[in-house]
Coordinates of all heavy atoms in Angstrom, one line a residue:
A864 N -0.5 -100.8 60.2 CA 0.7 -99.9 59.9 C 0.6 -99.4 58.4 O 0.9 -98.3 58.1 CB 2.0 -100.7 60.1
L865 N 0.2 -100.3 57.5 CA 0.1 -99.9 56.1 C -1.0 -98.9 55.9 O -0.9 -97.9 55.1 CB -0.2 -101.2 55.2 CG 1.0 -102.1 55.1 CD1 0.6 -103.4 54.4 CD2 2.2 -101.5 54.3
A866 N -2.1 -99.1 56.6 CA -3.2 -98.1 56.6 C -2.7 -96.7 57.0 O -3.0 -95.7 56.5 CB -4.4 -98.5 57.4
A867 N -1.9 -96.7 58.1 CA -1.3 -95.5 58.6 C -0.4 -94.8 57.6 O -0.2 -93.6 57.6 CB -0.5 -95.7 59.9
E868 N 0.2 -95.6 56.7 CA 1.1 -95.1 55.6 C 0.3 -94.7 54.4 O 0.8 -94.4 53.4 CB 2.1 -96.2 55.3 CG 3.1 -96.5 56.4 CD 4.2 -95.4 56.5 OE1 4.3 -94.5 55.6 OE2 4.9 -95.4 57.5
E869 N -1.1 -94.8 54.5 CA -2.0 -94.5 53.5 C -1.8 -95.4 52.2 O -2.0 -94.9 51.1 CB -1.9 -93.0 53.1 CG -2.2 -92.1 54.3 CD -2.2 -90.6 53.9 OE1 -1.7 -90.3 52.8 OE2 -2.7 -89.8 54.7
V870 N -1.5 -96.6 52.5 CA -1.4 -97.6 51.4 C -2.9 -97.9 51.0 O -3.7 -98.1 51.9 CB -0.7 -98.9 51.8 CG1 -0.8 -100.0 50.8 CG2 0.8 -98.5 52.1
D871 N -3.2 -98.0 49.8 CA -4.5 -98.3 49.3 C -5.1 -99.5 49.9 O -4.4 -100.6 50.0 CB -4.5 -98.4 47.7 CG -5.9 -98.6 47.2 OD1 -6.6 -97.6 47.0 OD2 -6.2 -99.8 46.9
A872 N -6.4 -99.4 50.3 CA -7.0 -100.6 51.0 C -7.1 -101.8 50.1 O -7.0 -102.9 50.6 CB -8.4 -100.2 51.5
G873 N -7.2 -101.6 48.8 CA -7.2 -102.7 47.9 C -5.9 -103.5 47.9 O -5.9 -104.7 47.8
I874 N -4.8 -102.8 48.1 CA -3.5 -103.4 48.2 C -3.3 -104.2 49.5 O -2.9 -105.3 49.5 CB -2.3 -102.4 48.0 CG1 -2.3 -101.8 46.6 CG2 -1.0 -103.0 48.4 CD1 -1.2 -100.7 46.4
V875 N -3.8 -103.6 50.6 CA -3.8 -104.3 51.8 C -4.6 -105.6 51.8 O -4.2 -106.6 52.3 CB -4.3 -103.4 53.0 CG1 -4.3 -104.1 54.3 CG2 -3.4 -102.1 53.1
A876 N -5.8 -105.5 51.1 CA -6.7 -106.7 51.0 C -5.9 -107.7 50.2 O -6.1 -108.9 50.4 CB -8.0 -106.3 50.3
E877 N -5.2 -107.3 49.2 CA -4.4 -108.3 48.3 C -3.3 -108.9 49.2 O -3.1 -110.1 49.0 CB -3.8 -107.5 47.2 CG -3.4 -108.4 46.0 CD -2.9 -107.7 44.8 OE1 -3.2 -106.5 44.7 OE2 -2.2 -108.3 44.0
I878 N -2.7 -108.2 50.1 CA -1.7 -108.7 51.0 C -2.3 -109.7 51.9 O -1.8 -110.8 52.1 CB -1.0 -107.6 51.7 CG1 -0.1 -106.8 50.8 CG2 -0.1 -108.2 52.9 CD1 0.4 -105.5 51.3
V879 N -3.5 -109.4 52.5 CA -4.1 -110.3 53.4 C -4.5 -111.6 52.6 O -4.3 -112.7 53.1 CB -5.4 -109.7 54.0 CG1 -6.2 -110.8 54.8 CG2 -5.1 -108.5 54.8
S880 N -4.9 -111.5 51.4 CA -5.2 -112.6 50.5 C -4.0 -113.5 50.3 O -4.1 -114.7 50.3 CB -5.9 -112.2 49.2 OG -7.0 -111.4 49.4
E881 N -2.9 -112.8 50.0 CA -1.6 -113.5 49.8 C -1.2 -114.4 51.0 O -0.8 -115.5 50.8 CB -0.5 -112.5 49.5 CG 0.8 -113.1 49.2 CD 1.0 -113.8 47.9 OE1 0.1 -113.6 47.0 OE2 1.9 -114.6 47.7
E882 N -1.4 -113.8 52.2 CA -1.1 -114.6 53.4 C -2.1 -115.7 53.6 O -1.7 -116.8 54.0 CB -1.1 -113.6 54.6 CG 0.0 -112.5 54.5 CD 1.4 -113.1 54.4 OE1 1.8 -113.7 55.4 OE2 2.0 -112.9 53.4
L883 N -3.4 -115.5 53.3 CA -4.4 -116.5 53.4 C -4.1 -117.7 52.5 O -4.2 -118.9 52.8 CB -5.8 -115.9 53.2 CG -6.9 -116.9 53.3 CD1 -6.9 -117.6 54.7 CD2 -8.2 -116.1 53.2
R884 N -3.7 -117.3 51.3 CA -3.3 -118.4 50.3 C -2.1 -119.2 50.8 O -2.0 -120.4 50.7 CB -3.1 -117.8 48.9 CG -4.4 -117.3 48.2 CD -4.1 -117.0 46.8 NE -3.3 -115.8 46.6 CZ -3.8 -114.6 46.3 NH1 -5.1 -114.4 46.1 NH2 -3.0 -113.5 46.1
A885 N -1.1 -118.4 51.4 CA 0.1 -119.1 51.9 C -0.3 -120.0 53.0 O 0.3 -121.1 53.2 CB 1.1 -118.0 52.3
M886 N -1.2 -119.6 53.9 CA -1.6 -120.4 55.0 C -2.3 -121.7 54.5 O -2.1 -122.8 55.0 CB -2.6 -119.6 55.9 CG -2.0 -118.5 56.7 SD -1.0 -119.1 58.1 CE -2.4 -119.5 59.3
T887 N -3.2 -121.6 53.5 CA -3.8 -122.7 52.9 C -2.8 -123.7 52.3 O -2.9 -124.9 52.4 CB -4.9 -122.3 51.9 OG1 -5.8 -121.3 52.5 CG2 -5.7 -123.5 51.4
R888 N -1.9 -123.1 51.6 CA -0.8 -123.9 50.9 C 0.0 -124.6 52.0 O 0.3 -125.8 51.8 CB 0.1 -123.0 50.1 CG 1.2 -123.7 49.4 CD 2.0 -122.8 48.4 NE 2.5 -121.6 49.0 CZ 2.1 -120.4 48.9 NH1 1.0 -120.1 48.1 NH2 2.7 -119.4 49.5
R889 N 0.4 -123.9 53.1 CA 1.2 -124.6 54.1 C 0.4 -125.7 54.8 O 1.0 -126.7 55.1 CB 1.7 -123.6 55.1 CG 2.8 -124.1 56.0 CD 4.0 -124.6 55.1 NE 5.0 -125.3 55.9 CZ 6.0 -126.0 55.4 NH1 6.1 -126.1 54.1 NH2 6.8 -126.6 56.2
A890 N -0.9 -125.4 55.1 CA -1.7 -126.4 55.7 C -1.8 -127.7 54.8 O -1.7 -128.8 55.3 CB -3.1 -125.9 56.0
A891 N -1.8 -127.5 53.5 CA -1.9 -128.6 52.6 C -0.6 -129.4 52.7 O -0.6 -130.7 52.7 CB -2.1 -128.2 51.2
V892 N 0.6 -128.7 52.7 CA 1.9 -129.4 52.8 C 2.0 -130.2 54.1 O 2.4 -131.4 54.1 CB 3.0 -128.4 52.7 CG1 4.4 -129.0 53.0 CG2 3.0 -127.7 51.3

Side-chain angles (χ1 to χ4, degrees):
L865 290 172
E868 295 284 347
E869 299 184 348
V870 173
D871 183 79
I874 292 178
V875 179
E877 196 175 345
I878 289 169
V879 175
S880 302
E881 178 74 15
E882 297 301 294
L883 180 52
R884 287 192 289 259
M886 290 285 284
T887 306
R888 179 172 60 251
R889 193 60 189 166
V892 170

